Amino acid sequence: MGIFDLFKKKKKNQLSIQNQLEKAHTLSIGEEDFDFEEFEEHHKHHFKEYEIKCVEIKTSVSSKDLSIDPLGLKDSKIMGIPFWPQGKEYPKDESSNEMFLMCQINFEEVPHLEPFPKKGILQLFFSKDNWYSEDVKVIFHKGATLSMPSEINFPFLTPEIYDESPSQYLLKIDFEKATDKGSWEDVNFKKIESHFNIPEQQEDQFEEYMWDMHGGGGSKISGYGNFTQGDPRDYQTDKTNHIQLLQLDSNTKHMMFGDVGVAHLFIDKEHLKNGDLEKAWFYWDCC
């Protein structure tokens, strides 16, 4: 039984939600027969205000053997062989070991969103042993670098380097422009709560409803973040205004961050506008 079914109106002789709203500027859901569908309808202008554009990331298996990459070096992908300019120092982790490519986004393949770049290749590299301790590197190739010949020989990318990786598959990425209707744990979306008046005894039910209808899940560029342990921007005050650059969500078939976790890149808006994507920072959590 869904959340809507649990809270459908049972008494037809009661005042309608609209009549109640004529007596109050904010909506109270203290009545046990509160209709959440009417609640959404009444506040649809608030929910519309908080909608933001994003690009959904759709993945499909390109190879079940990570030593075989049939995709192009500059193609958007999860795992696989990266585009890497010859002569440039390859990413190494805190123990000075070479890292593996977790994700590569070629913005020429991405439906354009402002202020995201139209060109450039964003890469996220993970440490073989310590990615779960956030030992990662963010690389952004742009300008003349994109025209440089790429390295094609990566002898250190052996099967062992992927032992603890979140995916054992090479995934092809397709993109689709979409509208993100919100995530209840995202600090930027939770501001919508100021428009509501939720009685204390109904807070748990209300949050369950918001989780169900505004969860923010899925892999995407931009949009609201989905969190299992809370939004880190909520307690890192210097990063409150940072926005989500990338979200990689666990897919039980092909990709898993810990126990059904979610990985994110966040970035200061000005850094994004200036094309300084390497200043993005990584965060992940799991259940």
Side-chain angles (χ1 to χ4, degrees), residues 261-272:
V262 190
H264 312 264
L265 285 179
F266 295 106
I267 190 168
D268 179 274
K269 293 179 183 178
E270 289 304 312
H271 292 157
L272 178 60

PDB file of all heavy atoms in Angstrom, residues 261-272:
ATOM      1  N   GLY A 261      24.813   2.823  -1.667  1.00  0.00           N
ATOM      2  CA  GLY A 261      25.172   4.211  -1.405  1.00  0.00           C
ATOM      3  C   GLY A 261      25.065   5.097  -2.636  1.00  0.00           C
ATOM      4  O   GLY A 261      24.680   4.649  -3.727  1.00  0.00           O
ATOM      5  N   VAL A 262      25.405   6.356  -2.427  1.00  0.00           N
ATOM      6  CA  VAL A 262      25.336   7.360  -3.488  1.00  0.00           C
ATOM      7  C   VAL A 262      26.615   8.196  -3.454  1.00  0.00           C
ATOM      8  O   VAL A 262      27.050   8.611  -2.375  1.00  0.00           O
ATOM      9  CB  VAL A 262      24.121   8.298  -3.311  1.00  0.00           C
ATOM     10  CG1 VAL A 262      23.933   9.161  -4.558  1.00  0.00           C
ATOM     11  CG2 VAL A 262      22.848   7.503  -3.015  1.00  0.00           C
ATOM     12  N   ALA A 263      27.200   8.434  -4.620  1.00  0.00           N
ATOM     13  CA  ALA A 263      28.414   9.248  -4.719  1.00  0.00           C
ATOM     14  C   ALA A 263      28.092  10.578  -5.391  1.00  0.00           C
ATOM     15  O   ALA A 263      27.252  10.636  -6.306  1.00  0.00           O
ATOM     16  CB  ALA A 263      29.489   8.505  -5.516  1.00  0.00           C
ATOM     17  N   HIS A 264      28.762  11.636  -4.948  1.00  0.00           N
ATOM     18  CA  HIS A 264      28.483  12.982  -5.449  1.00  0.00           C
ATOM     19  C   HIS A 264      29.770  13.746  -5.712  1.00  0.00           C
ATOM     20  O   HIS A 264      30.784  13.532  -5.043  1.00  0.00           O
ATOM     21  CB  HIS A 264      27.696  13.810  -4.419  1.00  0.00           C
ATOM     22  CG  HIS A 264      26.522  13.140  -3.821  1.00  0.00           C
ATOM     23  ND1 HIS A 264      25.240  13.302  -4.294  1.00  0.00           N
ATOM     24  CD2 HIS A 264      26.428  12.296  -2.759  1.00  0.00           C
ATOM     25  CE1 HIS A 264      24.399  12.599  -3.555  1.00  0.00           C
ATOM     26  NE2 HIS A 264      25.104  11.980  -2.619  1.00  0.00           N
ATOM     27  N   LEU A 265      29.686  14.668  -6.660  1.00  0.00           N
ATOM     28  CA  LEU A 265      30.652  15.748  -6.792  1.00  0.00           C
ATOM     29  C   LEU A 265      29.886  17.058  -6.604  1.00  0.00           C
ATOM     30  O   LEU A 265      28.842  17.272  -7.240  1.00  0.00           O
ATOM     31  CB  LEU A 265      31.321  15.746  -8.166  1.00  0.00           C
ATOM     32  CG  LEU A 265      32.380  14.677  -8.440  1.00  0.00           C
ATOM     33  CD1 LEU A 265      32.907  14.809  -9.862  1.00  0.00           C
ATOM     34  CD2 LEU A 265      33.525  14.769  -7.437  1.00  0.00           C
ATOM     35  N   PHE A 266      30.405  17.925  -5.719  1.00  0.00           N
ATOM     36  CA  PHE A 266      29.821  19.242  -5.499  1.00  0.00           C
ATOM     37  C   PHE A 266      30.840  20.311  -5.906  1.00  0.00           C
ATOM     38  O   PHE A 266      32.053  20.085  -5.848  1.00  0.00           O
ATOM     39  CB  PHE A 266      29.444  19.437  -4.027  1.00  0.00           C
ATOM     40  CG  PHE A 266      28.355  18.510  -3.553  1.00  0.00           C
ATOM     41  CD1 PHE A 266      28.663  17.437  -2.732  1.00  0.00           C
ATOM     42  CD2 PHE A 266      27.043  18.714  -3.925  1.00  0.00           C
ATOM     43  CE1 PHE A 266      27.672  16.575  -2.290  1.00  0.00           C
ATOM     44  CE2 PHE A 266      26.045  17.865  -3.490  1.00  0.00           C
ATOM     45  CZ  PHE A 266      26.358  16.793  -2.669  1.00  0.00           C
ATOM     46  N   ILE A 267      30.312  21.478  -6.261  1.00  0.00           N
ATOM     47  CA  ILE A 267      31.207  22.530  -6.711  1.00  0.00           C
ATOM     48  C   ILE A 267      30.608  23.904  -6.406  1.00  0.00           C
ATOM     49  O   ILE A 267      29.388  24.090  -6.434  1.00  0.00           O
ATOM     50  CB  ILE A 267      31.490  22.392  -8.227  1.00  0.00           C
ATOM     51  CG1 ILE A 267      32.607  23.326  -8.673  1.00  0.00           C
ATOM     52  CG2 ILE A 267      30.222  22.602  -9.051  1.00  0.00           C
ATOM     53  CD1 ILE A 267      33.131  23.035 -10.066  1.00  0.00           C
ATOM     54  N   ASP A 268      31.494  24.847  -6.115  1.00  0.00           N
ATOM     55  CA  ASP A 268      31.088  26.234  -5.948  1.00  0.00           C
ATOM     56  C   ASP A 268      30.569  26.758  -7.295  1.00  0.00           C
ATOM     57  O   ASP A 268      31.133  26.471  -8.352  1.00  0.00           O
ATOM     58  CB  ASP A 268      32.285  27.061  -5.490  1.00  0.00           C
ATOM     59  CG  ASP A 268      31.953  28.531  -5.301  1.00  0.00           C
ATOM     60  OD1 ASP A 268      32.013  29.268  -6.294  1.00  0.00           O
ATOM     61  OD2 ASP A 268      31.635  28.918  -4.168  1.00  0.00           O
ATOM     62  N   LYS A 269      29.489  27.521  -7.262  1.00  0.00           N
ATOM     63  CA  LYS A 269      28.870  28.010  -8.494  1.00  0.00           C
ATOM     64  C   LYS A 269      29.838  28.817  -9.350  1.00  0.00           C
ATOM     65  O   LYS A 269      29.837  28.706 -10.576  1.00  0.00           O
ATOM     66  CB  LYS A 269      27.636  28.846  -8.163  1.00  0.00           C
ATOM     67  CG  LYS A 269      26.485  28.058  -7.551  1.00  0.00           C
ATOM     68  CD  LYS A 269      25.319  28.970  -7.227  1.00  0.00           C
ATOM     69  CE  LYS A 269      24.184  28.218  -6.561  1.00  0.00           C
ATOM     70  NZ  LYS A 269      23.049  29.109  -6.193  1.00  0.00           N
ATOM     71  N   GLU A 270      30.651  29.642  -8.702  1.00  0.00           N
ATOM     72  CA  GLU A 270      31.592  30.469  -9.455  1.00  0.00           C
ATOM     73  C   GLU A 270      32.669  29.617 -10.119  1.00  0.00           C
ATOM     74  O   GLU A 270      33.082  29.897 -11.246  1.00  0.00           O
ATOM     75  CB  GLU A 270      32.223  31.523  -8.539  1.00  0.00           C
ATOM     76  CG  GLU A 270      31.265  32.613  -8.117  1.00  0.00           C
ATOM     77  CD  GLU A 270      30.631  33.332  -9.299  1.00  0.00           C
ATOM     78  OE1 GLU A 270      31.390  33.719 -10.230  1.00  0.00           O
ATOM     79  OE2 GLU A 270      29.394  33.494  -9.312  1.00  0.00           O
ATOM     80  N   HIS A 271      33.129  28.595  -9.438  1.00  0.00           N
ATOM     81  CA  HIS A 271      34.112  27.700 -10.035  1.00  0.00           C
ATOM     82  C   HIS A 271      33.523  26.993 -11.254  1.00  0.00           C
ATOM     83  O   HIS A 271      34.210  26.803 -12.272  1.00  0.00           O
ATOM     84  CB  HIS A 271      34.592  26.666  -9.008  1.00  0.00           C
ATOM     85  CG  HIS A 271      35.393  27.269  -7.900  1.00  0.00           C
ATOM     86  ND1 HIS A 271      35.534  26.656  -6.671  1.00  0.00           N
ATOM     87  CD2 HIS A 271      36.099  28.423  -7.827  1.00  0.00           C
ATOM     88  CE1 HIS A 271      36.293  27.409  -5.892  1.00  0.00           C
ATOM     89  NE2 HIS A 271      36.650  28.482  -6.570  1.00  0.00           N
ATOM     90  N   LEU A 272      32.254  26.612 -11.155  1.00  0.00           N
ATOM     91  CA  LEU A 272      31.593  25.969 -12.287  1.00  0.00           C
ATOM     92  C   LEU A 272      31.490  26.936 -13.458  1.00  0.00           C
ATOM     93  O   LEU A 272      31.815  26.588 -14.600  1.00  0.00           O
ATOM     94  CB  LEU A 272      30.203  25.477 -11.871  1.00  0.00           C
ATOM     95  CG  LEU A 272      29.354  24.825 -12.967  1.00  0.00           C
ATOM     96  CD1 LEU A 272      30.047  23.598 -13.537  1.00  0.00           C
ATOM     97  CD2 LEU A 272      27.970  24.458 -12.425  1.00  0.00           C
TER      98      LEU A 272
END
